[in-house]
Amino acid sequence: MPYKNSATNSENQPASQSASQSVTAQALVQFCDEYLSSAAFKDYAPNGLQVDAGQPIKTIITGVTACEALIDAAIAAKADAIMVHHGYFWKGEPEAIVGIKGQRIRKLMQNGISLIAYHLPLDAHPLIGNNAKLAEMLGLTISGPLYPHESHPVGNIATCAAQSAEDLAATISQVLGRVPLYISSDYSFTDNQSLLDSTTNKKIKRIGLCTGGAQDMIEQAAIMGCDAYLSGEISERTTHSARELGLDYFACGHHATERGGIQALGELIAEQFKLTVTFVDIDNPA
């Protein structure tokens, strides 16, 4: 079913509404580290506890990115922690805690809210990872890794019943609540042309899949014999790659493709620790 925005939709209820227990941030992170095998990843940002407010955790807000709007939602909910896929302290960014980053962290500390983040480990988990959850929602069956040598693959190959690009795009639109940007492998297919105008008889059965900003894995999808590749973002070069490699490409949105993992992790934590966990979807068309 399509996602609902719990920042504006009262139908979205906490994963657990009768919290009677609390847990330390350290104990919560230890559980997540072990469950997600976070030590196995060389990541672009630290996984686990990024901001420690030093308080027991009873109520958690989960979301894709630790933006200020999510922090404000956590403050309004009197949450003790935020758990996200996109946290802070990325490689290559300025180290000083000033500007937007300083303002966000100041709000967290002033309101006693810890920040926990998991990036690649949450992409790759075979049960609750972003790829796994997206494949499940789209009716795809993951059959293996996109890069065969990886023990914890962040990209996957999935199979499905033979279908047209139009049918796959319709399923993506229904599940994610947004129309994907579709690049046809047919060189004669005009960029802004409706899928309904396509004359190609190609059927899609084998799909390369990696959520988020993984558009450049399209070449590996071609190497692995995929009919199509699905990710979150698109670059100028991606259009040419799709056409020249003979793959249909679906850019489904970085944010939209990465809601499933953090939502599933929150549900797991609510059940494991008997905490109140609520997913808040801050709208992001990118």
Side-chain angles (χ1 to χ4, degrees), residues 123-127 129-136 139-146 153 155-160 207 209:
D123 287 318
H125 195 274
L127 296 178
N130 286 321
N131 291 336
K133 298 307 292 184
L134 182 60
E136 177 185 312
L140 311 178
T141 301
I142 291 181
S143 58
L146 196 56
N156 294 100
I157 294 172
T159 59
C160 62
I207 301 172
L209 172 72

Side-chain angles (χ1 to χ4, degrees), residues 50-117:
Q50 293 190 342
V51 177
D52 184 4
Q55 297 195 89
I57 295 172
K58 291 184 178 180
T59 301
I60 301 173
I61 292 296
T62 62
V64 177
T65 300
C67 60
E68 188 170 17
L70 189 69
I71 296 171
D72 289 340
I75 293 170
K78 296 183 172 24
D80 307 301
I82 293 173
M83 182 170 287
V84 295
H85 180 50
H86 301 138
Y88 305 153
F89 311 111
W90 298 93
K91 289 181 180 178
E93 74 175 21
E95 296 180 353
I97 303 177
V98 297
I100 289 176
K101 183 164 66 174
Q103 182 170 313
R104 291 172 175 177
I105 293 175
R106 184 164 55 251
K107 273 195 172 185
L108 290 171
M109 297 301 290
Q110 288 175 342
N111 290 277
I113 300 172
S114 295
L115 175 64
I116 300 167

Side-chain angles (χ1 to χ4, degrees), residues 9 52 69 78 82 89 127-128 144 150 163 196 229 237:
N9 192 325
D52 184 4
K78 296 183 172 24
I82 293 173
F89 311 111
L127 296 178
I128 67 163
E150 292 184 342
Q163 59 187 294
L196 293 174
Y229 182 60
R237 59 188 175 272

